[in-house]
């Protein structure tokens, strides 16, 4: 159990809750069995026959089971025939578990695990037996659901005497909260979730256990917020006729209503004596950079410096270019021809020449440069600021928490922090994952942006669709536009999944079945130049190229000297080429939903409509195809982020998903349980305000320590 399901203690086992319950009278439908997945079914043996082959030397037992909705064949070979042959007689009811495969165009389970369900006599006994709820646990090949159930039964002891086994449990919920909310006690909840008599038992148990998870997590976040609120910070109020006012006066357009509202929220935070911790989310192109730039200018006005941290050199250079363009002579403070109230805007990246780097570092330490834009090169020990007042982090998910922390520690007092993301995050997730940040949302797109049409291209089922996709690319290029072709891998070795973006989606059952390595930029580019896109100007771009080579390719693409850019997800963030109108994403099923949405946001940035083609070899009806269908069906990032989250529900909400740790959330569904999370947040805030050290809540402290093992505590501390 420890190896396969990460269950090490009795507590781990008791908190490994059933995923669902089978009712003996209410059979799991055989007609809905998914291919290649591990399933548990409750059914009745309809027929059992032994066949011989190899001249009588080989034996095969074929058992047909039925549940009224469909039939399924079970096969056993060799010595494995004897036991099931005696136990699985026609009429026998049993639970069967195994992986669904296809043989001779029929679905089957080969050598399934099974457990017969006895047939007590007497109508009442049969009735009780038929309606008993059988817990089905999240299981794996090495540890079947009923083996887990046996272990749980051993721990709980005989029915009716569970209280003894559950007596020493640590209950994290304060009694007043539990009683006030009418929740079950912890022993009662655990007994009812593992041994329910009725469906009401299950509902009561889940309600209680959801509260445990939501409340302990929100207490952790409330303590983090409280600790941040105690920190001192220098209030930064822009001068009424300073740099910000001069910048606003030269803007050729008016800010959207959303940009004005979010800016007000940010300036209110910057004016306080405690560090701002704000998350700014908005779709690609909603004008987040403009909002962040105005905040930075306001801080420079107030005598401080602002740093913007970008995840890649390409993006840092692009931010530097667009910010200096937007500011004009205001970005040339202290230079000939620069504006009187201007400041210097410097770029700092790892690939800069020594002389330029020395000058940039000097401008930072003297305060000559009010704004610096860079990659994690900004975090190195040598980089010193005159007075760092604001840190802006672009694309939060790309940055290690340690990196943000290292930059924040460069201020004499903690600087204000603004985190930007183009990945829409539903409110409950923001409350849970970024519970220590206040959230601002930009949900309007500036006028002039074009709609993007998206279509799934089933390359295996309909190869002519793929041929048509390349024709569409040629048509767009002929009309004077440009195209992206995105691949999950660079191409020199199979283990390399792109550019360390959020990588491709985790391998699903279908990927496992397919076994083909993901398509690579280098190979696809070669096939296209020799085949469907020959005579077009095709270039490649990926994260392993030297920074200057990457920049040169991007510059030429932006200048219209390249027709088709074949790239990894390095283009996912920030590259702005309004003339690019079509994107073809190869092996689209290998990317996450939010990532596909991000990538798609790179086209349709000008006045011409955008087209995104999602190419996949996954069969119709597979979960991967359903996911791509959802992306094609809507441009609403918040809706897609819900779908993404529902599919990745098991990912650990405290940020440990990357390390593969088992989820800290077992019954709480971040999407569905919004009310519980919001209520738990209120209760947690009140408890922490009244007793910051939780001196009066020893059990809650113990539960917190268990949740916040060292890694997670560091994650929250640095959030």
């Amino acid at each position: 159990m420890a190896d396969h399901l990460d269950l090490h203690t009795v507590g781990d086992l008791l908190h490994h809750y059933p995923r669902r319950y089978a009712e003996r009278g209410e059979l799991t439908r055989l007609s809905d069995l998914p291919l290649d997945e591990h399933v548990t079914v409750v059914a009745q043996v309809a027929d059992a026959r032994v066949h011989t082959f190899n001249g009588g030397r080989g034996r095969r037992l074929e058992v047909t089971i039925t549940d009224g909705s469909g039939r399924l064949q079970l096969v056993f070979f060799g010595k494995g025939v004897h036991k099931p042959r005696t136990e699985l007689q026609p009429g026998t009811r049993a639970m069967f578990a195994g992986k669904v495969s296809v043989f001779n165009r029929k679905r089957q389970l080969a050598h399934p695990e099974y457990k017969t369900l006895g047939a007590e006599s007497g109508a009442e006994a049969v009735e009780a037996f038929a309606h008993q709820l059988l817990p089905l646990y999240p299981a794996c090949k090495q540890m079947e659901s009923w083996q887990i159930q046996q272990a749980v039964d051993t721990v709980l002891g005989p029915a009716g005497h569970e209280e003894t086994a559950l007596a020493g449990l640590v209950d994290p919920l304060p009694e007043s909260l539990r009683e006030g909310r009418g929740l079950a006690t912890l022993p009662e909840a655990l007994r009812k979730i593992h041994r329910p008599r009725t469906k009401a038992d299950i509902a009561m148990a889940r309600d209680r256990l959801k509260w445990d998870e939501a409340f302990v997590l929100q207490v952790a976040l409330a303590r983090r917020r409280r600790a941040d609120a105690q920190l001192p910070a220098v209030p930064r109020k822009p001068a009424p006729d300073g740099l910000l006012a001069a910048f606003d006066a030269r803007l050729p357009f008016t800010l959207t209503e959303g940009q004005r509202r979010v800016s007000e929220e940010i300036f209110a935070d910057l004016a306080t004596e405690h560090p701002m911790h704000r998350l700014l989310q908005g779709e690609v192109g909603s004008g987040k950079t403009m909002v962040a730039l105005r905040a930075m200018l306001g801080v420079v006005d107030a005598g401080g410096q602002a740093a913007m941290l970008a995840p890649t050199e390409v993006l840092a250079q692009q931010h530097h270019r667009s910010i200096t363009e937007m500011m004009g002579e205001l970005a040339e403070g202290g230079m000939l021809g620069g504006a009187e109230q201007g400041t210097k805007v410097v770029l700092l990246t790892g690939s800069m020449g020594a002389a330029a780097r020395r000058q940039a570092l000097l401008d930072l330490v003297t305060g000559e440069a009010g704004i610096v834009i860079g990659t994690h090169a900004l975090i190195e020990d040598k980089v010193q600021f005159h007075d760092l007042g604001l840190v802006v982090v672009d694309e939060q998910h790309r940055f290690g928490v340690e990196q943000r922390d290292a930059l924040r520690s460069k201020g004499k007092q903690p600087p204000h922090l603004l985190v930007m993301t183009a990945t829409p995050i539903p409110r409950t997730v923001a409350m849970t994952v970024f519970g220590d940040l206040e959230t601002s949302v930009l949900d309007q797109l500036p006028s002039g942006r074009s709609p993007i049409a998206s279509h799934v291209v089933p390359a295996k089922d309909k190869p002519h669709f793929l041929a048509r996709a390349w024709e569409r690319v040629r048509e767009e290029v002929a009309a004077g536009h440009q195209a992206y072709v995105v691949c999950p891998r660079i191409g020199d070795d199979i283990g390399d999944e792109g550019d360390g973006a959020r990588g491709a989606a985790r391998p699903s059952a279908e990927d496992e079945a397919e076994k083909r390595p993901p398509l690579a930029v280098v190979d696809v580019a070669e096939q296209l130049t020799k085949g469907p896109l020959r005579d077009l100007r095709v270039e490649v771009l990926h994260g392993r190229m030297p920074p200057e080579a990457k920049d040169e390719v991007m510059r030429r693409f932006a200048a219209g000297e390249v027709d088709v850019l074949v790239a990894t997800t390095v283009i996912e963030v920030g590259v702005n080429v309004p003339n690019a109108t079509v994107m073809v994403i190869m092996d689209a099923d290998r990317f996450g939903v939010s990532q596909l949405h991000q990538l798609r946001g790179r086209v349709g940035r000008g006045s011409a409509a955008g087209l995104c083609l999602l190419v996949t070899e996954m069969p119709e009806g597979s979960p991967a195809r359903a996911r791509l269908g959802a992306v094609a069906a809507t441009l609403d990032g918040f809706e897609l982020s819900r779908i993404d989250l529902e599919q990745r529900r098991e990912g650990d909400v405290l940020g440990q998903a990357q390390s593969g740790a088992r989820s800290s959330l077992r019954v709480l569904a971040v999407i569905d349980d919004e009310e519980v999370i919001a209520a738990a947040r209120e209760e947690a805030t009140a408890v922490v305000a009244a007793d910051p050290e939780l001196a009066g809540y020893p059990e809650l402290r113990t539960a917190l320590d268990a949740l916040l093992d060292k890694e997670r505590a560091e994650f929250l501390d640095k959030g």
Side-chain angles (χ1 to χ4, degrees):
M1 274 200 189
D3 291 349
H4 303 302
L5 292 169
D6 196 22
L7 305 177
H8 300 269
T9 64
V10 167
D12 288 345
L13 180 64
L14 289 174
H15 289 291
H16 184 74
Y17 309 131
R19 188 178 62 235
R20 58 193 179 87
Y21 300 83
E23 242 183 297
R24 283 172 175 152
E26 210 178 78
L27 299 173
T28 315
R29 296 172 63 79
L30 290 183
S31 56
D32 301 336
L33 290 184
L35 269 185
D36 283 332
E37 285 195 22
H38 233 72
V39 298
T40 301
V41 297
V42 179
Q44 188 162 10
V45 176
D47 184 42
R49 296 172 188 201
V50 175
H51 300 269
T52 56
F53 52 94
N54 279 355
R57 287 195 301 279
R59 314 182 71 191
R60 179 175 82 246
L61 171 65
E62 288 183 3
V63 178
T64 306
I65 60 172
T66 178
D67 69 349
S69 75
R71 295 165 85 82
L72 178 68
Q73 192 158 52
L74 318 175
V75 288
F76 302 87
F77 295 98
K79 293 199 174 90
V81 164
H82 304 307
K83 190 165 176 271
R85 187 182 176 187
T86 55
E87 293 181 344
L88 298 179
Q89 298 293 326
T92 306
R93 293 170 73 73
M95 272 203 283
F96 302 92
K99 195 170 183 182
V100 184
S101 58
V102 168
F103 180 70
N104 275 346
R105 299 172 72 173
K106 281 187 186 164
R107 284 177 303 180
Q108 68 169 28
L109 298 182
H111 282 278
E113 300 268 350
Y114 66 87
K115 181 184 182 188
T116 57
L117 302 171
E120 291 91 340
S121 54
E124 278 175 29
V126 170
E127 186 66 17
F129 178 84
H131 288 100
Q132 187 185 337
L133 293 161
L134 304 172
L136 299 176
Y137 289 87
C140 62
K141 196 172 177 182
Q142 296 82 355
M143 181 62 65
E144 293 294 357
S145 173
W146 52 76
Q147 292 169 297
I148 299 168
Q149 188 188 347
Q150 283 167 346
V152 171
D153 280 344
T154 307
V155 169
L156 290 178
H161 298 280
E162 296 91 351
E163 303 303 321
T164 321
L166 300 171
L169 287 171
V170 173
D171 188 340
L173 289 193
E175 199 162 328
S176 56
L177 187 160
R178 187 178 62 70
E179 288 175 353
R181 298 264 170 192
L183 298 167
T185 63
L186 187 56
E188 185 184 8
L190 288 172
R191 176 174 64 73
K192 286 183 169 173
I193 201 140
H194 291 294
R195 291 180 172 171
R197 293 204 175 91
T198 62
K199 288 183 177 167
D201 281 358
I202 300 168
M204 183 193 285
R206 291 177 71 86
D207 285 349
R208 158 64 212 240
L209 297 168
K210 279 177 183 180
W211 258 92
D212 284 14
E213 289 175 12
F215 180 69
V216 175
L217 182 53
Q218 292 299 338
V219 166
L221 293 166
R223 292 183 80 191
R224 173 74 260 139
R225 285 197 301 277
R226 190 178 188 285
D228 284 340
Q230 309 296 312
L231 293 171
V234 179
R236 311 280 178 175
K237 294 178 184 169
D241 50 359
L243 183 57
L244 178 62
F247 174 76
D248 283 349
R250 49 168 293 147
L251 274 183
F253 52 83
T254 55
L255 297 175
T256 65
E257 171 64 31
Q259 284 175 317
R260 280 202 299 277
R261 186 193 70 244
V262 169
S263 289
E264 280 166 19
E265 292 170 354
I266 290 170
F267 285 120
D269 282 359
L270 290 172
T272 65
E273 295 183 353
H274 301 292
M276 164 171 82
H277 288 101
R278 190 166 280 281
L279 174 71
L280 171 57
Q281 48 179 113
E283 295 274 7
V284 170
S286 59
K288 294 186 298 298
T289 310
M290 171 62 70
V291 170
L293 174 57
R294 293 186 71 246
M296 294 197 286
L297 295 173
V299 168
V300 175
D301 255 357
Q305 290 169 295
M308 181 183 248
L309 204 51
T312 62
E313 294 215 353
V314 171
L315 191 53
Q317 285 157 344
Q318 180 163 318
H319 275 319
H320 182 254
R321 251 195 319 271
S322 63
I323 282 173
T324 46
E325 278 167 19
M326 284 195 272
M327 288 175 65
E329 74 269 19
L330 296 175
E332 296 163 0
M335 293 186 243
L336 203 61
E340 196 185 332
Q341 64 284 60
T343 186
K344 236 179 178 181
V345 179
V346 300
L347 177 69
L348 191 61
T349 64
S351 63
M352 281 168 78
R357 189 177 172 78
R358 246 196 325 275
Q359 184 59 51
L361 291 171
L362 187 65
D363 286 343
L364 284 179
V365 77
T366 58
E368 190 80 8
I371 294 176
V372 59
I373 296 154
T375 55
H376 48 82
L378 278 177
I379 294 162
E380 292 170 12
D381 292 342
K382 292 193 286 286
V383 181
Q384 292 187 333
F385 290 85
H386 176 66
D387 179 14
L388 180 60
L390 170 67
V391 174
V392 178
V393 179
D394 191 18
E395 286 307 322
Q396 126 84 21
H397 55 267
R398 296 291 190 91
F399 267 107
V401 184
E402 293 77 12
Q403 293 169 310
R404 289 213 305 266
D405 206 44
L407 188 54
R408 273 161 66 182
S409 67
K410 293 200 175 276
K412 295 184 175 69
Q413 286 193 323
H416 299 280
L417 174 70
L418 180 66
V419 171
M420 300 198 297
T421 177
T423 309
I425 303 163
R427 176 172 166 259
T428 44
V429 183
M431 249 192 305
T432 311
V433 183
F434 301 103
D436 54 336
L437 299 177
E438 297 299 328
T439 305
S440 295
V441 179
L442 275 175
D443 45 15
Q444 285 168 285
L445 284 190
S447 56
R449 290 295 299 268
S450 307
I452 304 168
S454 307
H455 303 283
V456 178
V457 178
K460 212 166 196 167
D461 306 352
K462 298 177 179 167
H464 59 285
F465 276 36
L466 183 57
R468 175 73 187 116
W470 301 126
E471 276 173 31
R472 281 294 288 117
V473 170
R474 297 187 72 93
E475 287 164 15
E476 287 296 315
V477 171
H481 298 303
Q482 291 160 280
Y484 294 103
V485 177
V486 182
C487 306
R489 200 163 58 86
I490 295 171
D492 23 22
D493 71 285
I494 285 174
D496 147 44
E497 290 279 317
D499 283 332
R502 275 149 310 171
R506 288 172 309 291
S508 65
E510 299 121 37
D511 286 352
E512 289 295 317
E514 196 183 84
K515 292 289 188 281
R516 170 175 70 66
L519 290 169
V521 166
V522 182
D523 309 337
V524 168
E526 190 182 344
Q527 288 159 14
L528 292 176
T529 45
K530 289 179 178 169
L533 302 186
R534 64 178 158 275
D535 69 28
L536 295 187
R537 298 170 298 174
V538 177
E539 294 267 358
V540 301
L541 179 72
H542 57 71
R544 292 245 194 89
M545 289 162 63
E548 54 279 11
K550 267 194 291 201
D551 222 41
E552 176 58 15
V553 170
M554 261 332 295
R555 188 196 61 70
R556 290 179 42 234
F557 187 62
E561 295 163 22
V562 174
D563 298 321
V564 180
L565 188 63
V566 183
T568 55
T569 51
V570 70
I571 59 120
E572 175 191 0
V573 211
V575 179
N576 188 15
V577 181
N579 191 42
T581 53
V582 60
M583 176 180 285
V584 181
I585 303 179
M586 308 302 291
D587 276 345
D589 46 273
R590 312 257 178 160
F591 299 93
V593 168
S594 294
Q595 194 173 21
L596 290 169
H597 182 58
Q598 292 284 105
L599 286 165
R600 170 171 65 184
R602 300 286 120 224
V603 294
R605 296 174 76 85
S607 52
L611 173 66
C612 177
L613 301 172
L614 305 167
V615 180
T616 178
E617 293 192 354
M618 288 294 131
E620 205 168 347
S622 60
R625 275 284 281 280
R627 201 169 67 229
L628 296 179
V631 175
T634 178
L635 289 173
D636 181 340
F638 285 92
E639 178 55 32
L640 287 173
S641 67
R642 287 179 72 96
I643 294 167
D644 199 19
L645 196 84
E646 281 164 356
Q647 296 188 327
R648 294 186 299 115
R649 178 166 287 166
E650 70 283 359
D652 191 340
V653 169
L654 275 188
Q656 287 302 329
Q658 298 83 341
S659 71
R662 192 177 73 238
S663 167
S664 60
L665 300 186
R666 297 182 179 86
V667 282
L668 190 72
V670 178
I671 286 284
D672 304 331
D673 295 321
E674 182 165 345
E675 285 173 21
V676 175
I677 292 169
R681 182 176 166 125
E682 267 177 48
E683 295 275 10
T685 307
V687 164
V688 171
D691 183 354
E693 295 307 310
L694 305 179
Y697 303 98
E699 290 91 350
L700 177 55
R701 278 213 316 275
T702 307
L704 261 186
D705 293 342
L707 173 74
L708 301 181
D709 51 42
K710 189 165 175 292
E711 273 184 300
R712 290 190 186 136
E714 281 175 9
F715 180 87
L716 279 180
D717 274 343
K718 293 175 180 169

